Amino acid sequence: MNDDTDGVIGRCIGETSLVDVSFISKEMPKVGEYVSLEYDGKNVLGMIEALVRGSVSINNEIYDPKTIEKIRMIEGDDHYIKGKVRILGDIDNDLRIPRTPAPPGTEIKAADSAVLSEIFQVGNYGLKLGNLITQDQVSVEIDINKMVSRHLAVLAMTGAGKSNTVSVLVDGLLKVNGSVLIFDMHSEYVNTEFGEGRVNIIKPLINPIYMSFGEIKKLSNIPSNAYVQERYFRKAYRLAQKDLSKGSVYGKDFIGLIINRLESWLLEESDESEGKSSNASDRKSITDVLNKVEHMQDKYGNILSLEASDIIDNLKVGKANILDLGSVDEFASDVVVSHILRTVLKSRKEFLRTGTGLGFPIFLILEEAHILAPQNRTTESKLWISRIAREGRKFSVGLCMVSQSPKSLDSDALSQANNMIILRLVEPTDQNHVQRASENLSDDLIAQLPSLNIGEAIVLGLMTKIPTLVKIDEFKGKITGGDLNIVEEWSKSAKKEKKTLKQQKQEYEELGGDY
């Protein structure tokens, strides 16, 4: 690209509109390159969104390859470049869309780097994300306030640079003492180096005292239509809470208290006349509940603890709070995440109303968001993700949904994200799903997604003044979420095995054996 603002890239042709213009050129610019158009006393910024190359002589009506070769041998060059520019706004009028279209024949020039640098600088509330792909000397900052308050989606196929992008975001927020809570589904960020004293690891433990009945009922897997089972379970649940409030803890834990209650009722029912059908029915219901609760204790007892403090007490201001969910299955993760989302939103509301509760804004980063808020399945987390997406702005609770399978992510939740960082996406169903959720993602920008290199992204939304193609900075700390070097791991394992066999041989020979 010619960085000289006097250098003309091309000229407008055909009919122009307020939103885009077509142009013709002899030199090849780049898709994503910023250009300027001067007309009607305005200096208008645009972005090249589409390009095609053609030849006047070699057209679609030639069917003989030999004829094409002869034409190519003729001296002269009659090729042309035709493209489309998306109008972004008047540079001198806060990037407002002009009220009149550009006249045909208007010159299209390369945008001045100094102007672009000014556009992409946010100031005190900016987070440096990377540099323009087409002009790498221009830094791109995003508005932190608008990113957090208006929510964000980071979308990419596997291996496109999603973990690096999230790490750059977190690192940038920590530099301004931002408070972040990462729901780390696969323990990717537990060992990430965000700086000494900047990380607070949180174990996935919930004190049952702070859980709602609905949350603990979901863990017990009691069906919604099993009314008698639910009645017994609710009664045992309330009595267990009462026992705890009195300090009368005769079970190992909260679930143990529920089990003890159910066992005592089952014993009482068994002592009654076995000839009564009602007793037999009650015994069966109690037994069914008891079996489910014991199964819950076996499977999820490791995440329920009376010694666990309230999640709000575990969150630290100015740190990357990382909830390590790597050892928890998806079902339990849904319960843990939904509980925390509900508690955080409730606590922020309480603080703004009474001054007690979570005393600082927080940015929630949901890794594998398509698992927690799936498109065609109901989960508890999905409910609270949607609630925070709609209400979080009023209570300074920001949301970032991260997904490598956008088509599987709930479209309602995705549409609430007013900012997007979209790295490489190849699958058409992923592309279409994202486009339906974002009004700013044009067909031409969508067409660029498969051609993005690792770490390159389309950035759009309220956190940036104009849509842009960015090369994301490389995070300087160690990231554990990247791909392993498989060949190197095999080599290490083979050396370790060889060393073990050698040691065994030496030990055997020392004992006088013949190996």
Side-chain angles (χ1 to χ4, degrees):
M1 187 191 85
N2 185 359
D3 198 34
D4 182 2
T5 54
D6 293 329
V8 177
I9 290 178
R11 291 183 179 271
C12 297
I13 60 169
E15 293 182 341
T16 62
S17 73
L18 298 179
V19 294
D20 58 43
V21 300
S22 296
F23 71 94
I24 200 81
S25 174
K26 291 295 289 182
E27 301 297 327
M28 177 62 75
K30 297 178 182 177
V31 171
E33 185 173 333
Y34 290 100
V35 296
S36 63
L37 300 81
E38 295 182 10
Y39 63 92
D40 295 347
K42 297 183 288 289
N43 186 13
V44 178
L45 185 70
M47 175 196 275
I48 298 175
E49 287 197 335
L51 289 170
V52 294
R53 176 184 280 171
S55 168
V56 175
S57 302
I58 305 174
N59 53 53
N60 291 335
E61 296 180 359
I62 300 176
Y63 302 103
D64 185 0
K66 293 181 179 181
T67 303
I68 295 175
E69 182 63 25
K70 289 178 181 178
I71 294 173
R72 290 183 68 246
M73 298 295 292
I74 299 175
E75 291 185 3
D77 188 1
D78 69 344
H79 83 275
Y80 62 88
I81 290 94
K82 188 175 181 181
K84 187 171 83 171
V85 171
R86 180 180 181 182
I87 300 299
L88 299 174
D90 187 348
I91 295 173
D92 301 320
N93 192 21
D94 200 26
L95 290 175
R96 299 184 185 214
I97 299 296
R99 294 293 183 181
T100 56
T106 299
E107 292 180 345
I108 294 177
K109 302 178 181 180
D112 190 340
S113 295
V115 171
L116 292 176
S117 294
E118 186 175 343
I119 289 173
F120 288 110
Q121 295 301 306
V122 177
N124 294 333
Y125 307 114
L127 185 157
K128 184 178 182 298
L129 187 63
N131 295 73
L132 293 179
I133 292 177
T134 54
Q135 288 175 276
D136 57 12
Q137 74 273 27
V138 178
S139 298
V140 176
E141 291 183 353
I142 53 177
D143 190 311
I144 292 175
N145 283 332
K146 292 180 180 178
M147 178 185 74
V148 174
S149 64
R150 298 292 183 169
H151 311 309
L152 170 68
V154 179
L155 310 171
M157 63 180 290
T158 302
K162 175 171 56 67
S163 297
N164 179 75
T165 301
V166 173
S167 297
V168 169
L169 290 173
V170 173
D171 190 53
L173 291 174
L174 292 177
K175 289 177 181 176
V176 294
N177 296 312
S179 303
V180 181
L181 173 56
I182 304 174
F183 294 86
D184 193 359
M185 297 291 285
H186 300 306
S187 302
E188 290 184 39
Y189 300 94
V190 172
N191 296 315
T192 301
E193 298 173 350
F194 289 115
E196 187 176 352
R198 286 294 196 177
V199 175
N200 175 38
I201 306 297
I202 301 174
K203 295 180 180 180
L205 294 176
I206 304 179
N207 194 322
I209 294 176
Y210 303 119
M211 296 180 72
S212 68
F213 175 74
E215 288 171 340
I216 204 161
K217 174 176 172 284
K218 182 177 178 64
L219 272 184
S220 69
N221 203 27
I222 294 176
S224 57
N225 60 349
Y227 306 112
V228 178
Q229 290 183 31
E230 181 177 337
R231 177 165 58 85
Y232 277 113
F233 183 64
R234 186 186 296 273
K235 185 178 177 182
Y237 167 81
R238 288 176 174 172
L239 288 172
Q241 284 188 318
K242 188 176 180 181
D243 289 335
L244 286 176
S245 66
K246 291 179 179 179
S248 175
V249 182
Y250 51 85
K252 293 181 180 179
D253 50 34
F254 185 73
I255 305 302
L257 295 176
I258 295 176
I259 290 174
N260 286 345
R261 284 288 180 183
L262 292 169
E263 287 178 338
S264 66
W265 292 339
L266 184 61
L267 185 61
E268 290 172 6
E269 291 294 335
S270 299
D271 289 340
E272 299 290 332
S273 173
E274 296 187 6
K276 296 180 179 179
S277 59
S278 61
N279 283 35
S281 176
D282 286 342
R283 283 199 306 276
K284 183 180 184 308
S285 295
I286 296 172
T287 301
D288 289 341
V289 175
L290 185 58
N291 289 337
K292 288 182 171 66
V293 174
E294 287 179 340
H295 177 71
M296 174 176 65
Q297 186 180 46
D298 291 339
K299 194 169 185 180
Y300 304 117
N302 60 324
I303 66 170
L304 301 174
S305 172
L306 289 173
E307 297 179 359
S309 57
D310 189 346
I311 181 63
I312 301 304
D313 297 330
N314 290 328
L315 297 177
K316 306 299 181 184
V317 65
K319 294 191 177 184
N321 300 278
I322 301 175
L323 180 69
D324 185 7
L325 293 165
S327 61
V328 182
D329 66 25
E330 289 184 13
F331 186 84
S333 292
D334 180 37
V335 174
V336 172
V337 172
S338 63
H339 170 77
I340 293 175
L341 294 178
R342 176 179 69 86
T343 304
V344 166
L345 183 60
K346 178 183 176 183
S347 187
R348 281 299 296 163
K349 288 181 179 180
E350 189 69 22
F351 177 79
L352 295 176
R353 187 168 56 246
T354 67
T356 60
L358 184 60
F360 49 87
I362 192 158
F363 191 50
L364 308 173
I365 299 179
L366 297 167
E367 274 286 345
E368 305 292 346
H370 56 278
I371 295 176
L372 299 168
Q375 172 70 355
N376 298 315
R377 183 166 52 86
T378 301
T379 64
E380 293 297 315
S381 296
K382 184 175 177 177
L383 167 67
W384 289 102
I385 288 171
S386 296
R387 281 282 298 273
I388 290 176
R390 291 192 303 270
E391 305 175 16
R393 180 172 64 90
K394 296 180 287 187
F395 307 104
S396 301
V397 179
L399 184 68
C400 174
M401 293 172 285
V402 185
S403 176
Q404 62 188 22
S405 180
K407 67 177 180 293
S408 304
L409 179 59
D410 180 59
S411 55
D412 179 58
L414 185 58
S415 66
Q416 297 293 328
N418 296 129
N419 302 293
M420 288 188 176
I421 299 175
I422 311 170
L423 295 100
R424 191 179 188 209
L425 283 178
V426 174
E427 207 174 319
T429 49
D430 281 331
Q431 297 172 11
N432 295 335
H433 190 70
V434 173
Q435 188 175 25
R436 285 194 296 270
S438 174
E439 58 185 23
N440 295 321
L441 197 56
S442 66
D443 290 338
D444 292 308
L445 282 177
I446 278 286
Q448 302 307 313
L449 291 176
S451 62
L452 293 174
N453 296 313
I454 294 174
E456 296 179 347
I458 294 174
V459 179
L460 65 162
L462 299 175
M463 65 183 182
T464 181
K465 291 180 181 178
I466 54 177
T468 184
L469 295 173
V470 179
K471 173 63 177 176
I472 307 293
D473 283 343
E474 184 177 349
F475 178 62
K476 301 304 180 183
K478 184 183 71 174
I479 301 176
T480 57
D483 293 336
L484 291 173
N485 186 325
I486 304 299
V487 175
E488 190 175 307
E489 291 299 312
W490 276 335
S491 179
K492 288 180 181 178
S493 298
K495 288 179 181 178
K496 186 177 180 181
E497 179 70 16
K498 187 176 181 180
K499 184 177 180 180
T500 300
L501 289 173
K502 185 178 180 180
Q503 289 176 342
Q504 290 176 347
K505 181 179 180 181
Q506 289 176 346
E507 290 173 359
Y508 189 76
E509 289 176 347
E510 287 173 0
L511 293 173
D514 185 10
Y515 194 79

